[in-house]
């Protein structure tokens, strides 16, 4: 039997796949299909495949590079809900991406570069690029970018992890969190770090505040603002220039 080639447009291919589920309970409703199609085809929603191979840039992945997509979120559909926190050079906000304007859109976390942090634009762009090529269950998922002020400003759009940072979560649940659960989280963080290591990435800022909690049994590594890639001919990272670093030795 012959098969059609899979669609290059992965979001569309996913949606088609969902609609073909044999079990009707798992097929999306009409409303959900329309919403998903709408968000795929709204005027300036495009998927740009970077023309240059990822291996040509300094922040590229050296091993098994994943294609690096920039899914564009339209600013006008990104509805602010509340602040989530502040990091090295950006503030993170909870927003709903709601192209239909009926509150059915998905919740996302949006990291914006703070206006007074101008010189760090390049680092921020590196963070966006780094996250966009990481695909691991234990690393926060990149969703895309959003441009504002006619492309002068860019935000990073990520999946929203409702329980926030691990340090806050552990403190809030300090009376009922079990050792077993802590070990589960620790093993997930190790798996995420192992994945980064296979791609020669060095996170450089791993801390409970930079680990996010998805639910009671899943945590993910976040904040790749200080991440560096280790060149092939090096076995360890040596700090060579002044700048932001949590490590001084
Ligand atoms: P960061 O700049 O990545 O360190 O983020 C600053 C703070 O924002 C974190 O400590 C979290 O509390 C919050 N935050 C960042 N990303 C997310 C996310 N994807 N979902 C929920 N909260 C987040």
């Amino acid at each position: 039997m012959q098969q059609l080639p899979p669609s290059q447009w992965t979001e569309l291919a996913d949606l088609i796949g969902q609609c073909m589920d044999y079990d009707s309970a798992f097929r999306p409703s009409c409303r959900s299909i329309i919403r998903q199609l709408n968000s795929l085809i709204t005027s300036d929603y495009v998927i740009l495949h970077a023309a240059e191979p990822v291996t040509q840039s300094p922040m590229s992945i050296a091993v098994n590079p994943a294609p690096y997509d920039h899914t564009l979120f339209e600013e006008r559909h990104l509805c602010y809900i509340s602040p989530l926190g502040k990091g090295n050079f950006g503030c993170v906000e909870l927003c709903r991406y709601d192209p239909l304007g009926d509150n059915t859109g998905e919740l996302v976390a949006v990291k914006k570069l703070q206006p007074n942090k101008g010189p760090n634009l390049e680092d921020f762009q590196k963070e966006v690029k780094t996250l966009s090529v990481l695909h691991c269950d234990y690393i926060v998922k990149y969703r895309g970018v959003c441009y504002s002020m006619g492309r002068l400003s860019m935000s990073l759009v990520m999946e929203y992890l409702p329980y926030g940072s691990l340090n806050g979560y552990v403190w809030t649940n300090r009376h009922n969190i079990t050792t077993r659960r802590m070990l589960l989280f620790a093993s997930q963080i190790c798996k995420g770090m192992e994945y980064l290591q296979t791609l020669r990435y060095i996170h450089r800022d791993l801390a409970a505040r930079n680990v996010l909690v998805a639910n009671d049994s899943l945590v993910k590594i976040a904040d790749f603002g200080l991440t560096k890639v280790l060149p092939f001919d090096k076995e360890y990272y040596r700090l060579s220039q002044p700048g932001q670093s949590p490590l001084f030795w």
Side-chain angles (χ1 to χ4, degrees):
M1 201 173 73
Q2 295 221 322
Q3 279 198 335
L4 289 171
S7 168
Q8 297 289 307
W9 194 349
T10 45
E11 285 92 343
L12 187 60
D14 274 359
L15 178 58
I16 295 170
Q18 289 168 33
C19 296
M20 285 169 44
D21 202 297
Y22 283 109
D23 185 342
S24 61
F26 290 105
R27 279 182 237 137
S29 64
C30 282
R31 192 178 172 76
S32 156
I33 294 171
I34 291 169
R35 181 166 52 79
Q36 292 189 54
L37 279 176
N38 251 307
S39 73
L40 287 176
I41 57 180
T42 41
S43 56
D44 41 352
Y45 182 107
V46 281
I47 295 176
L48 305 174
H49 285 270
E52 25 117 40
V54 182
T55 39
Q56 285 179 1
S57 91
M59 277 304 288
S60 66
I61 284 180
V63 179
N64 190 19
Y68 135 63
D69 287 345
H70 272 330
T71 304
L72 299 186
F73 283 71
E74 289 184 61
E75 193 192 14
R76 65 192 167 115
H77 297 315
L78 217 40
C79 310
Y80 170 86
I81 298 179
S82 61
L84 288 172
K86 278 198 175 136
N88 277 324
F89 31 69
C91 61
V92 185
E93 294 174 349
L94 172 62
C95 295
R96 188 185 293 283
Y97 190 65
D98 203 27
L100 292 188
D102 61 359
N103 268 337
T104 59
E106 66 166 324
L107 295 175
V108 285
V110 180
K111 185 184 273 196
K112 294 181 168 167
L113 193 63
Q114 278 172 354
N116 56 347
K117 303 272 178 153
N120 285 323
L121 180 63
E122 210 177 303
D123 291 336
F124 185 54
Q125 285 169 339
K126 278 186 190 163
E127 176 176 5
V128 172
K129 189 165 179 183
T130 302
L131 198 60
S132 73
V133 293
L134 301 177
H135 303 284
C136 172
D137 290 345
Y138 309 113
I139 289 179
V140 64
K141 279 194 175 45
Y142 164 87
R143 301 299 319 281
V145 290
C146 174
Y147 290 105
S148 49
M149 299 193 298
R151 291 205 161 224
L152 281 177
S153 159
M154 183 179 72
S155 308
L156 162 64
V157 183
M158 300 169 280
E159 66 171 325
Y160 165 57
L161 278 82
Y163 293 87
S165 305
L166 181 60
N167 57 345
Y169 178 89
V170 169
W171 177 252
T172 311
N173 295 285
R174 61 193 177 282
H175 298 306
N176 51 20
I177 196 159
T178 59
T179 309
R180 195 186 166 87
R181 192 156 301 275
M182 297 284 267
L183 279 173
L184 174 69
F185 290 164
S187 73
Q188 293 174 343
I189 296 166
C190 289
K191 285 178 192 157
M193 292 304 276
E194 187 182 27
Y195 169 80
L196 285 180
Q197 187 257 321
T198 62
L199 302 177
R200 304 184 71 82
Y201 275 112
I202 304 167
H203 186 284
R204 300 205 314 151
D205 201 11
L206 185 65
R209 67 174 183 283
N210 289 330
V211 173
L212 300 174
V213 183
N215 56 49
D216 282 343
S217 51
L218 179 62
V219 293
K220 302 191 182 199
I221 300 169
D223 196 354
F224 291 82
L226 297 179
T227 300
K228 300 274 184 220
V229 70
L230 188 64
F232 257 128
D233 57 341
K234 297 276 183 313
E235 286 192 359
Y236 56 89
Y237 173 74
R238 189 189 289 267
L239 197 64
S240 57
Q241 60 206 46
Q244 284 216 356
S245 174
L247 304 177
F248 296 99
W249 56 86

